[in-house]
Amino acid sequence: MSLKKLVNEIKFRTGTAKCTEYLELVQRVLDGQASRSQEVYLKRHQKMCLKCLERFNIDQEIKKLIQLKLASREVPEGLAEAIKTKIAKSA
Amino acid sequence: MEESPTKNDYTNQAKDKIFNEEFMPHIRAMYNFAHRLTYDEDDAKDLVQDTFMKSYRFINSFQQGTNAKAWLFRIMKNSFINDFRKKSKQPTKVDYQEVEGYYNSEGTQKAVTTDLRIDTVKNLIGDEITNALAALDIDFRTVIILCDLEGFTYEEMAKILDIPIGTVRSRLHRARNLLKEKLQSYAQSMGY
């Protein structure tokens, strides 16, 4: 662990980190890539900081929006077959 | 990542099996990624075809049982950059010295302060989010697609994009801030 990471870890553990320092945890938690302790640190901070909680909720909502509202296109008809034919010819 | 330092020597039968069972099931995700890179149906089809042809040609570099989807996405990203980006109407590359320094510099590591509110975000429709994403530079758009739509981990993204994991996180952070700014301006223009 680098010195910077170690210092941050201590700040998170003791609850002395600044709001801006929680940004990385916000992103990790949002993306499901935080450790259990990182989730705990962020939740603890959000209980005391409504601004950070609201920011997290907005980011989470935008992520959901991207997942729900961006239409997934159907694969054009014949594309898979065209690929397989081309592969067969090249083999 | 999914490339083995020692090349495999698959039989033709094994190659076909890998191709049909491990590669082809990802065709829909591949087509959607291609379309979100090129915003053109013909270019997207060409890019998918090109990627699958390359995947077959280099199949001996693929380790069976590893993450085929990440491997294919990496090929597609490289193909797009090398062959398709030139004819794409997308903006040119961003200045990464400026961008990558963004996250780590003390003064700029702050959340974007928009007036976006939860109820405003919930009111946004598909077209607005599509346009906001399309308006982002290709490199920022890509990290959002890979993370939010395709569910890749930071580590997988680092391998797909050939960048350090710290850069993945900072680029994603920056991309999301830019997206929020665009959504904010849409919301304002719609009078939310």
Side-chain angles (χ1 to χ4, degrees), chain B residues 107-174:
Chain B
T108 49
Q109 194 179 336
K110 57 176 185 280
V112 65
T113 45
T114 64
D115 296 327
L116 269 181
R117 304 175 66 86
I118 286 283
D119 51 349
T120 307
V121 173
K122 283 182 175 168
N123 275 327
L124 291 164
I125 57 168
D127 282 356
E128 287 155 353
I129 194 89
T130 302
N131 292 341
L133 192 64
L136 291 184
D137 178 274
I138 187 79
D139 298 281
F140 291 130
R141 193 162 75 230
T142 301
V143 285
I144 289 181
I145 293 167
L146 295 179
C147 184
D148 293 348
L149 283 169
E150 299 300 338
F152 285 114
T153 63
Y154 298 153
E155 199 177 340
E156 287 165 338
M157 288 166 69
K159 286 164 181 169
I160 291 168
L161 301 169
D162 267 331
I163 53 177
I165 200 162
T167 307
V168 169
R169 284 196 291 263
S170 61
R171 202 178 287 180
L172 194 52
H173 176 82
R174 179 85 173 113

Side-chain angles (χ1 to χ4, degrees), chain A:
Chain A
M1 195 186 274
S2 71
L3 185 61
K4 192 183 169 189
K5 274 187 180 169
L6 187 67
V7 170
N8 279 349
E9 172 67 23
I10 292 166
K11 282 183 179 177
F12 290 137
R13 200 185 309 153
T14 54
T16 54
K18 291 182 287 188
C19 290
T20 52
E21 290 169 322
Y22 280 96
L23 286 179
E24 192 186 334
L25 295 197
V26 165
Q27 184 161 274
R28 282 173 186 261
V29 171
L30 191 71
D31 296 333
Q33 293 182 59
S35 66
R36 186 73 199 101
S37 57
Q38 286 174 324
E39 285 180 29
V40 170
Y41 299 151
L42 184 66
K43 278 203 172 76
R44 192 177 58 189
H45 175 69
Q46 286 173 338
K47 277 181 186 165
M48 298 179 290
C49 181
L50 284 179
K51 200 173 172 185
C52 279
L53 178 64
E54 189 187 16
R55 190 178 291 139
F56 178 83
N57 287 339
I58 287 170
D59 286 354
Q60 195 173 43
E61 206 54 48
I62 290 173
K63 185 168 173 126
K64 277 189 210 163
L65 192 76
I66 289 169
Q67 291 167 340
L68 294 172
K69 301 276 175 105
L70 285 186
S72 170
R73 292 167 169 266
E74 291 290 340
V75 177
E77 214 174 315
L79 182 60
E81 282 314 307
I83 290 166
K84 284 179 182 174
T85 305
K86 218 171 168 181
I87 296 279
K89 280 181 183 170
S90 72

Side-chain angles (χ1 to χ4, degrees), chain B residues 44-156:
Chain B
K45 280 158 73 174
D46 288 349
L47 184 53
V48 170
Q49 195 153 283
D50 182 74
T51 302
F52 276 108
M53 292 304 290
K54 282 179 182 158
S55 75
Y56 193 83
R57 202 181 316 147
F58 301 116
I59 206 161
N60 281 328
S61 305
F62 175 74
Q63 276 300 90
Q64 236 178 318
T66 57
N67 191 335
K69 187 180 172 187
W71 195 72
L72 291 166
F73 268 62
R74 181 184 161 113
I75 295 173
M76 180 171 278
K77 182 270 303 181
N78 287 332
S79 287
F80 175 74
I81 287 170
N82 297 333
D83 307 327
F84 287 79
R85 200 173 190 159
K86 297 180 196 79
K87 60 175 185 173
S88 157
K89 298 170 194 71
Q90 294 304 319
T92 51
K93 219 173 174 339
V94 288
D95 177 358
Y96 279 119
Q97 276 196 315
E98 179 202 335
V99 174
E100 311 300 17
Y102 170 90
Y103 194 65
N104 303 317
S105 55
E106 195 57 42
T108 49
Q109 194 179 336
K110 57 176 185 280
V112 65
T113 45
T114 64
D115 296 327
L116 269 181
R117 304 175 66 86
I118 286 283
D119 51 349
T120 307
V121 173
K122 283 182 175 168
N123 275 327
L124 291 164
I125 57 168
D127 282 356
E128 287 155 353
I129 194 89
T130 302
N131 292 341
L133 192 64
L136 291 184
D137 178 274
I138 187 79
D139 298 281
F140 291 130
R141 193 162 75 230
T142 301
V143 285
I144 289 181
I145 293 167
L146 295 179
C147 184
D148 293 348
L149 283 169
E150 299 300 338
F152 285 114
T153 63
Y154 298 153
E155 199 177 340
E156 287 165 338

